[in-house]
Amino acid sequence: MAGNYHHGNSPAAWTGVVIIIIGFCVGGLFTVRAELLGVAASCGIVALGVIVGLVMRAMGLGQEPAAPARPAARAGAEPTVVAVQAEEGAPVAPATSAPAEATAG
């Protein structure tokens, strides 16, 4: 799995991140200068970086999606039966992974 996963090292990821970093730098500059319009414009640059990254990924320049994980046990599936032996010579009693139902006695 580690051999197929390249941690976002793709043209789409790099382009999106560079645009977002530029947006944050511009926003920091305008924040220090107390110019609200410039801060709002920098938020637009950050949003543009996200959009560019997603569009480039849709164009095939991003990382392929990871394969889905192995599915968990289905609801209502048969429980796993394990043989348990308490002592030497004692009869074998099956144990299940499902909780035992309480019996009134």
Side-chain angles (χ1 to χ4, degrees), residues 96 98-105:
T96 63
E101 295 183 8
T103 56

Side-chain angles (χ1 to χ4, degrees), residues 51-88:
I51 292 169
V52 166
L54 291 174
V55 168
M56 287 180 71
R57 185 178 77 177
M59 292 171 50
L61 296 172
Q63 181 174 338
E64 292 294 321
R70 188 173 168 192
R74 295 177 291 133
E78 293 294 321
T80 305
V81 177
V82 179
V84 179
Q85 188 170 357
E87 296 176 9
E88 179 104 15

Side-chain angles (χ1 to χ4, degrees), residues 27-58:
L29 175 70
F30 284 117
T31 299
V32 170
R33 294 178 63 184
E35 295 184 27
L36 185 58
L37 187 58
V39 173
S42 70
C43 291
I45 294 172
V46 170
L48 177 70
V50 172
I51 292 169
V52 166
L54 291 174
V55 168
M56 287 180 71
R57 185 178 77 177

